[in-house]
Amino acid sequence: MALVPYLSESDLAEEDRPLLARPINLFRALANSPDALRTHAEFGEWIRHRCELDPRLRELAILQVGYLTASPYEWSHHIKIGHDFGVSDDDVTALIAATAGREHGLGELETAVLAAAREITADTRMTDETWAVLLDHLGRARLVDLVIVISFYNAVIRILATLQIDVEPDYERYLEAFPLAERAPGPETARRPG
């Protein structure tokens, strides 16, 4: 159960009600601080709709953060969002295999994106080798975008965990289809290139 109440539009001042146009539990909890939710949502909108990083790669990176940190909310929500942006069920299965250091069948670019997400999540930085591969594939601007996306979602999972945000019933099916490990893999697994 969340540590703060899940607010509804009727709980907010008129000018803040549009903040809950998408009334997911994360936003309903953050609505306890409308200005914080507004800033969070604006940054999320940039990531989802204006960031020029390929959306499938973006969602794979976010999913890697959610899986590595065993964040049920992040994982379930971004499986659904990932589907909307070209992530297949096979991609999700491959991500799980890559995290465990098993064969996965993803290409060099996808593998490097997942490695970057694991490295930043576990070590707060990317290795020089991963950076070089991604720079070659993405260029400097999109690589900076990737670092920002991974870092932002590392912040999001900490918000989710600290506020104890519940997964909505509509998203539980994603956890059933793709269960999280009981605990996140250790740093030694996180550093593997996949």
Side-chain angles (χ1 to χ4, degrees), residues 131-150:
W131 178 271
V133 170
L134 288 170
L135 184 61
D136 187 51
H137 280 281
L138 299 176
R140 189 177 333 132
R142 299 301 72 83
L143 183 47
V144 169
D145 289 350
L146 178 64
V147 170
I148 291 169
V149 167
I150 292 167

mmCIF file of all heavy atoms in Angstrom, residues 131-150:
data_model
loop_
_atom_site.group_PDB
_atom_site.id
_atom_site.type_symbol
_atom_site.label_atom_id
_atom_site.label_comp_id
_atom_site.label_asym_id
_atom_site.label_seq_id
_atom_site.Cartn_x
_atom_site.Cartn_y
_atom_site.Cartn_z
ATOM 1 N N TRP A 131 30.326 2.579 -24.230
ATOM 2 C CA TRP A 131 30.204 3.926 -24.788
ATOM 3 C C TRP A 131 30.672 3.951 -26.243
ATOM 4 O O TRP A 131 29.993 4.520 -27.109
ATOM 5 C CB TRP A 131 31.003 4.913 -23.948
ATOM 6 C CG TRP A 131 30.960 6.315 -24.493
ATOM 7 C CD1 TRP A 131 31.814 6.867 -25.402
ATOM 8 C CD2 TRP A 131 29.991 7.310 -24.199
ATOM 9 N NE1 TRP A 131 31.448 8.157 -25.675
ATOM 10 C CE2 TRP A 131 30.318 8.463 -24.956
ATOM 11 C CE3 TRP A 131 28.884 7.358 -23.356
ATOM 12 C CZ2 TRP A 131 29.574 9.632 -24.896
ATOM 13 C CZ3 TRP A 131 28.139 8.539 -23.299
ATOM 14 C CH2 TRP A 131 28.488 9.653 -24.061
ATOM 15 N N ALA A 132 31.812 3.330 -26.527
ATOM 16 C CA ALA A 132 32.365 3.357 -27.887
ATOM 17 C C ALA A 132 31.428 2.683 -28.881
ATOM 18 O O ALA A 132 31.210 3.195 -29.987
ATOM 19 C CB ALA A 132 33.745 2.696 -27.897
ATOM 20 N N VAL A 133 30.868 1.534 -28.512
ATOM 21 C CA VAL A 133 29.937 0.831 -29.405
ATOM 22 C C VAL A 133 28.715 1.697 -29.669
ATOM 23 O O VAL A 133 28.275 1.860 -30.810
ATOM 24 C CB VAL A 133 29.531 -0.540 -28.812
ATOM 25 C CG1 VAL A 133 28.391 -1.167 -29.610
ATOM 26 C CG2 VAL A 133 30.726 -1.484 -28.759
ATOM 27 N N LEU A 134 28.166 2.275 -28.617
ATOM 28 C CA LEU A 134 26.958 3.086 -28.776
ATOM 29 C C LEU A 134 27.229 4.389 -29.520
ATOM 30 O O LEU A 134 26.397 4.834 -30.313
ATOM 31 C CB LEU A 134 26.326 3.358 -27.410
ATOM 32 C CG LEU A 134 25.664 2.133 -26.784
ATOM 33 C CD1 LEU A 134 25.287 2.410 -25.333
ATOM 34 C CD2 LEU A 134 24.455 1.691 -27.590
ATOM 35 N N LEU A 135 28.380 4.990 -29.291
ATOM 36 C CA LEU A 135 28.728 6.207 -30.020
ATOM 37 C C LEU A 135 28.792 5.933 -31.513
ATOM 38 O O LEU A 135 28.295 6.727 -32.325
ATOM 39 C CB LEU A 135 30.058 6.767 -29.510
ATOM 40 C CG LEU A 135 30.501 8.100 -30.109
ATOM 41 C CD1 LEU A 135 29.487 9.205 -29.810
ATOM 42 C CD2 LEU A 135 31.889 8.474 -29.576
ATOM 43 N N ASP A 136 29.357 4.797 -31.872
ATOM 44 C CA ASP A 136 29.448 4.412 -33.276
ATOM 45 C C ASP A 136 28.059 4.229 -33.895
ATOM 46 O O ASP A 136 27.823 4.626 -35.032
ATOM 47 C CB ASP A 136 30.273 3.126 -33.395
ATOM 48 C CG ASP A 136 30.544 2.758 -34.839
ATOM 49 O OD1 ASP A 136 31.009 3.620 -35.601
ATOM 50 O OD2 ASP A 136 30.247 1.598 -35.210
ATOM 51 N N HIS A 137 27.140 3.639 -33.147
ATOM 52 C CA HIS A 137 25.791 3.361 -33.667
ATOM 53 C C HIS A 137 24.850 4.562 -33.589
ATOM 54 O O HIS A 137 24.037 4.767 -34.487
ATOM 55 C CB HIS A 137 25.147 2.211 -32.882
ATOM 56 C CG HIS A 137 25.603 0.862 -33.305
ATOM 57 N ND1 HIS A 137 25.138 0.223 -34.428
ATOM 58 C CD2 HIS A 137 26.490 0.009 -32.737
ATOM 59 C CE1 HIS A 137 25.703 -0.955 -34.537
ATOM 60 N NE2 HIS A 137 26.542 -1.112 -33.528
ATOM 61 N N LEU A 138 24.936 5.325 -32.504
ATOM 62 C CA LEU A 138 23.924 6.348 -32.240
ATOM 63 C C LEU A 138 24.383 7.770 -32.505
ATOM 64 O O LEU A 138 23.548 8.651 -32.732
ATOM 65 C CB LEU A 138 23.469 6.262 -30.774
ATOM 66 C CG LEU A 138 22.815 4.970 -30.311
ATOM 67 C CD1 LEU A 138 22.531 5.032 -28.809
ATOM 68 C CD2 LEU A 138 21.540 4.691 -31.100
ATOM 69 N N GLY A 139 25.675 8.019 -32.424
ATOM 70 C CA GLY A 139 26.161 9.400 -32.477
ATOM 71 C C GLY A 139 26.038 10.035 -31.100
ATOM 72 O O GLY A 139 25.378 9.504 -30.202
ATOM 73 N N ARG A 140 26.678 11.170 -30.937
ATOM 74 C CA ARG A 140 26.779 11.807 -29.622
ATOM 75 C C ARG A 140 25.429 12.241 -29.060
ATOM 76 O O ARG A 140 25.117 11.988 -27.891
ATOM 77 C CB ARG A 140 27.719 12.996 -29.703
ATOM 78 C CG ARG A 140 28.038 13.578 -28.347
ATOM 79 C CD ARG A 140 29.031 14.733 -28.401
ATOM 80 N NE ARG A 140 29.914 14.644 -29.544
ATOM 81 C CZ ARG A 140 30.180 15.647 -30.386
ATOM 82 N NH1 ARG A 140 29.653 16.829 -30.202
ATOM 83 N NH2 ARG A 140 30.981 15.488 -31.400
ATOM 84 N N ALA A 141 24.593 12.895 -29.866
ATOM 85 C CA ALA A 141 23.328 13.438 -29.348
ATOM 86 C C ALA A 141 22.396 12.329 -28.869
ATOM 87 O O ALA A 141 21.829 12.415 -27.771
ATOM 88 C CB ALA A 141 22.634 14.285 -30.408
ATOM 89 N N ARG A 142 22.237 11.282 -29.662
ATOM 90 C CA ARG A 142 21.330 10.191 -29.256
ATOM 91 C C ARG A 142 21.911 9.396 -28.095
ATOM 92 O O ARG A 142 21.172 8.861 -27.265
ATOM 93 C CB ARG A 142 21.023 9.259 -30.425
ATOM 94 C CG ARG A 142 20.325 9.904 -31.614
ATOM 95 C CD ARG A 142 18.979 10.558 -31.336
ATOM 96 N NE ARG A 142 18.998 11.792 -30.587
ATOM 97 C CZ ARG A 142 19.216 13.024 -31.079
ATOM 98 N NH1 ARG A 142 19.469 13.194 -32.360
ATOM 99 N NH2 ARG A 142 19.199 14.085 -30.299
ATOM 100 N N LEU A 143 23.225 9.327 -28.002
ATOM 101 C CA LEU A 143 23.845 8.637 -26.876
ATOM 102 C C LEU A 143 23.615 9.424 -25.586
ATOM 103 O O LEU A 143 23.317 8.835 -24.541
ATOM 104 C CB LEU A 143 25.332 8.413 -27.134
ATOM 105 C CG LEU A 143 26.111 7.637 -26.065
ATOM 106 C CD1 LEU A 143 25.393 6.367 -25.621
ATOM 107 C CD2 LEU A 143 27.508 7.321 -26.581
ATOM 108 N N VAL A 144 23.700 10.735 -25.654
ATOM 109 C CA VAL A 144 23.375 11.547 -24.481
ATOM 110 C C VAL A 144 21.902 11.350 -24.107
ATOM 111 O O VAL A 144 21.562 11.209 -22.926
ATOM 112 C CB VAL A 144 23.719 13.031 -24.711
ATOM 113 C CG1 VAL A 144 23.137 13.919 -23.614
ATOM 114 C CG2 VAL A 144 25.228 13.206 -24.794
ATOM 115 N N ASP A 145 21.030 11.304 -25.112
ATOM 116 C CA ASP A 145 19.617 11.020 -24.838
ATOM 117 C C ASP A 145 19.464 9.697 -24.091
ATOM 118 O O ASP A 145 18.700 9.602 -23.125
ATOM 119 C CB ASP A 145 18.806 10.945 -26.138
ATOM 120 C CG ASP A 145 18.610 12.279 -26.827
ATOM 121 O OD1 ASP A 145 18.928 13.329 -26.229
ATOM 122 O OD2 ASP A 145 18.143 12.274 -27.980
ATOM 123 N N LEU A 146 20.171 8.674 -24.537
ATOM 124 C CA LEU A 146 20.091 7.360 -23.893
ATOM 125 C C LEU A 146 20.524 7.441 -22.431
ATOM 126 O O LEU A 146 19.865 6.887 -21.547
ATOM 127 C CB LEU A 146 20.934 6.332 -24.651
ATOM 128 C CG LEU A 146 20.971 4.928 -24.042
ATOM 129 C CD1 LEU A 146 19.583 4.273 -24.063
ATOM 130 C CD2 LEU A 146 21.994 4.061 -24.788
ATOM 131 N N VAL A 147 21.621 8.124 -22.168
ATOM 132 C CA VAL A 147 22.100 8.280 -20.785
ATOM 133 C C VAL A 147 21.034 8.984 -19.937
ATOM 134 O O VAL A 147 20.761 8.584 -18.797
ATOM 135 C CB VAL A 147 23.438 9.048 -20.747
ATOM 136 C CG1 VAL A 147 23.821 9.425 -19.323
ATOM 137 C CG2 VAL A 147 24.538 8.228 -21.404
ATOM 138 N N ILE A 148 20.411 10.007 -20.485
ATOM 139 C CA ILE A 148 19.366 10.736 -19.747
ATOM 140 C C ILE A 148 18.179 9.829 -19.470
ATOM 141 O O ILE A 148 17.647 9.806 -18.347
ATOM 142 C CB ILE A 148 18.953 12.002 -20.522
ATOM 143 C CG1 ILE A 148 20.098 13.018 -20.508
ATOM 144 C CG2 ILE A 148 17.668 12.603 -19.950
ATOM 145 C CD1 ILE A 148 19.907 14.196 -21.449
ATOM 146 N N VAL A 149 17.738 9.058 -20.463
ATOM 147 C CA VAL A 149 16.602 8.151 -20.280
ATOM 148 C C VAL A 149 16.904 7.129 -19.184
ATOM 149 O O VAL A 149 16.099 6.921 -18.267
ATOM 150 C CB VAL A 149 16.245 7.448 -21.609
ATOM 151 C CG1 VAL A 149 15.294 6.280 -21.392
ATOM 152 C CG2 VAL A 149 15.646 8.445 -22.595
ATOM 153 N N ILE A 150 18.044 6.478 -19.268
ATOM 154 C CA ILE A 150 18.407 5.464 -18.273
ATOM 155 C C ILE A 150 18.481 6.093 -16.883
ATOM 156 O O ILE A 150 17.959 5.538 -15.904
ATOM 157 C CB ILE A 150 19.735 4.790 -18.654
ATOM 158 C CG1 ILE A 150 19.570 3.955 -19.924
ATOM 159 C CG2 ILE A 150 20.254 3.910 -17.503
ATOM 160 C CD1 ILE A 150 20.886 3.505 -20.549
#
